[in-house]
Amino acid sequence: MSTTLEIVRIPVLNDNYVWLMREPQSGAVGVIDPAVAGPVLAEAARRRWKITHILNTHHHGDHVGGNREIKEATGCTIVGPRRDRARIPGIDIEVDDGDRYRFGEAEAEVFFVPGHTSGHIAFAFREQKALFCGDTLFALGCGRLFEGTAAQMWTSLGRLRALPDDMRVYCAHEYTQSNARFALTVETDNTRLQERSAAIDAARARGEATVPSLLGEEKATNPFLRADVPAVQRAVGLSDGDPVAVFAAVRHRKDVFR
């Protein structure tokens, strides 16, 4: 059955986004990666939406910190990565790579995408063109390698890159402007990147969010998805290099970028 998702951005902490979504046919309401509970409960109450689910992508506190309070307030079901179940507060349902999780009349495909953490997953609602990718993929960036390797992260990003261009990327942080400044140091001649960076600067000057982005935009401008592109390889001095080595070099440059 065809359905839609109503998706609301809730800014919390310094630069986190929590996503609140409603599937209108069933009335199911999900929270993706609640860092804190208060603003989420308040927004749901304002909209008269009853929270039925929490979907967690990984265990970091700024993604699960609101789990227990929201569950106590609503009785919702918490869905999270099987490989990280011991680190997901209040988890009820464990999912893993290739699983399909039914959210009302919508269905999410689960991707195991390690690199940022060892158990990270992403939820892709293909029909609704919505990708909830936590801290694996950012607008013009990717997560730091806290628990995984460059090879793991490159593989994970490749799996997300294979999704359709019109998927919207609902990542969990407003890092886009600083990511754009870094990306321009890698692909100095990428016209689409230059145009996108200017648009991001203008949006931020107006106080507007830059997330979600389109996956097709990321494929054309995000250097972390482009380690197999000659311009990026040349930029890090690894022409015709192994994409994993190129990705690792780009990631290192970003880690020390100021």
Side-chain angles (χ1 to χ4, degrees):
M1 183 180 295
S2 179
T3 188
T4 59
L5 290 174
E6 301 172 55
I7 303 173
V8 177
R9 181 194 311 104
I10 305 175
V12 300
L13 305 179
N14 292 326
D15 52 36
N16 277 72
Y17 289 137
V18 178
W19 301 101
L20 183 68
M21 67 176 177
R22 179 175 181 270
E23 192 283 295
Q25 293 188 38
S26 67
V29 175
V31 184
I32 294 87
D33 285 344
V36 293
V40 177
L41 293 170
E43 183 64 26
R46 189 181 74 79
R47 294 174 177 271
R48 298 184 179 178
W49 291 359
K50 176 174 170 48
I51 295 171
T52 56
H53 296 75
I54 291 173
L55 304 183
N56 287 137
T57 62
H58 66 293
H59 72 87
H60 283 162
D62 63 336
H63 293 255
V64 302
N67 275 22
R68 292 195 186 279
E69 187 176 340
I70 293 171
K71 186 174 183 175
E72 288 169 5
T74 65
C76 67
T77 297
I78 298 179
V79 183
R82 178 170 300 136
R83 303 173 205 223
D84 238 359
R85 59 188 176 274
R87 301 194 286 182
I88 305 295
I91 190 169
D92 298 299
I93 295 176
E94 303 165 9
V95 293
D96 205 348
D97 193 55
D99 287 348
R100 296 182 180 275
Y101 185 74
R102 198 81 183 165
F103 174 73
E105 295 298 326
E107 184 178 75
E109 183 178 348
V110 179
F111 287 81
F112 175 50
V113 285
H116 181 65
T117 66
S118 59
H120 206 302
I121 60 173
F123 296 92
F125 290 86
R126 286 184 184 263
E127 184 178 337
Q128 292 77 25
K129 306 184 190 308
L131 172 64
F132 297 99
C133 50
D135 286 355
T136 295
L137 174 64
F138 295 132
L140 286 172
C142 77
R144 287 178 178 264
L145 305 183
F146 287 130
E147 297 177 5
T149 66
Q152 285 178 315
M153 184 63 106
W154 175 245
T155 298
S156 296
L157 292 172
R159 297 187 68 199
L160 299 182
R161 186 175 71 168
L163 291 166
D165 286 1
D166 58 357
M167 292 283 281
R168 293 198 172 273
V169 179
Y170 292 89
C171 65
H173 290 274
E174 182 60 70
Y175 292 160
T176 318
Q177 191 169 34
S178 61
N179 286 345
R181 284 193 287 107
F182 170 74
L184 286 168
T185 71
V186 178
E187 284 199 89
T188 55
D189 296 326
N190 186 327
T191 303
R192 286 187 64 176
L193 173 58
Q194 293 167 358
E195 293 170 351
R196 186 179 179 191
S197 178
I200 289 164
D201 287 342
R204 295 305 289 158
R206 296 190 297 268
E208 297 173 1
T210 64
V211 180
S213 61
L214 279 173
L215 188 55
E217 273 190 311
E218 300 305 326
K219 295 177 190 181
T221 57
N222 186 331
F224 296 99
L225 294 183
R226 295 168 59 80
D228 52 358
V229 172
V232 175
Q233 295 176 338
R234 288 193 300 270
V236 297
L238 292 170
S239 296
D240 301 318
D242 170 26
V244 172
V246 175
F247 170 81
V250 175
R251 183 63 259 178
H252 174 70
R253 289 186 178 202
K254 180 62 166 70
D255 290 343
V256 300
F257 179 76
R258 294 292 181 269

